[in-house]
Amino acid sequence: MLVENLEDIAAYIVDDGKGILAADESNPTCSKRFESIGVVSTEEKRRDYREMLFRSDGVPDNIGGVILFDETIRQRAADGTLLREVIAEQGALFGIKVDQGVRPIDGCPGETVTVGLDGLDERLQEYASMGAKFTKWRAVIKIGSAIPSEKCIELNMKALASYAALAQANGMVPIVEPEVLMEGEHTIDSCHEVTERALNALFQCLEQDGVNLKGSLLKPNMITAGAGCSVQASVDDVAERTLICLKAIVPSAVPGICFLSGGQSDLQATAHLDAMNKIGGFPWKISFSYGRALQSSALSAWGGSPDRVRSAQDAFTHRASMNRLAALGKWNKELEAG
Ligand code: 13P
């Protein structure tokens, strides 16, 4: 598969309803996910789990790109094939998470900035030499009383833009992820306002750093009420509000918007994506880059047991195909039963 320039890579990932499998959980996050099914997270178990996902029949038709963690891009399947080659054989591109997590910001209690710019150029060169075609960096914005601060937004969006420019200089598409967390009791209005602030700052910084938007993908949150808010919006409200926010800010040069799921249930994440694509009228592809909302049913079905690989793969294939239909605006609830 020869997909070389930035614009072709970005277009390939979101072609025809395809989206991204975010399988780039850090080892501590993976341990948390495994704990929920009573499995101890070892290097071999993480390999077995991810090999199960990557070899699933759901990949070729529904997944254009898989985001990996550093351990996985170097790991081999049980038969000795590199996992990244397993993905390529399935017709998907592989990418890599390159941020190194968050650190507290001095003078901004409760807020963090994502780090990882030190030595990033060298790391990117190595990943490009392994065949990675895209990269991801996640900024985290928390809503609370009097936060986010301007400083938090500015530091995070500047870092995202610096990362994106470096990724492109190394021939890889940057997925820029400014995640406004769902955690909290905030209203949907508050999520809308904060997401608007973050995205406005982000696109200013991307422009200042000369990032080629046509060779980038945006990975935002949807506009929802906080998980702890007593008033939750309907599917149509979330879809409409999210589109209003994005249309006001995201330039049409961006080829694809691939949402994170952020703690939404599998069905919510699919229903919201479908509702946006049914509304239509936007210049970008709108697709998914889900972690939990693509994996949770497969993770439970697997339960750490080699005997359950097949049923876990079936669960993943089902979720992936539902999300592809949603990215085409062709999903409905009845399809879930089938
Ligand atoms: P979720 O879909 O579970 O939010 O994960 C997506 C992701 O990659 C977060 O960085």
Side-chain angles (χ1 to χ4, degrees), residues 1 3 9 12-13 20-21 23 54 59 63-69 72-74 82-97 126-136 171-173 175:
M1 177 186 8
V3 192
I9 294 166
Y12 184 92
I13 293 171
I20 299 171
L21 164 61
F54 303 160
V59 174
I63 303 295
V66 180
I67 318 176
L68 303 175
F69 184 60
T72 324
I73 202 170
R74 304 171 192 281
L82 283 161
L83 286 180
R84 58 185 199 253
E85 283 170 10
V86 170
I87 295 168
E89 282 162 12
Q90 290 275 58
L93 303 178
F94 59 90
I96 178 86
K97 166 203 179 78
E126 189 196 6
Y127 292 137
S129 75
M130 291 174 169
K133 297 291 180 208
F134 65 96
T135 58
K136 183 193 101 172
M172 291 179 285
V173 163
I175 298 184

Side-chain angles (χ1 to χ4, degrees), residues 22 24 33 67 136 138 177 179 219 260-263 289-293:
D24 59 326
R33 304 278 186 266
I67 318 176
K136 183 193 101 172
R138 171 176 177 253
E177 179 178 9
E179 176 173 6
K219 176 165 175 166
L260 58 94
S261 60
S289 175
Y290 294 158
R292 284 162 286 181

Side-chain angles (χ1 to χ4, degrees), residues 62 154 277:
N62 307 299
E154 190 189 323
N277 281 298

Side-chain angles (χ1 to χ4, degrees), residues 108 111 146-156 193 197 201:
C108 298
E111 297 192 292
I147 62 170
S149 63
E150 277 312 304
K151 184 172 172 185
C152 169
I153 290 185
E154 190 189 323
L155 289 177
N156 274 297
E193 183 243 323
R197 275 169 64 198

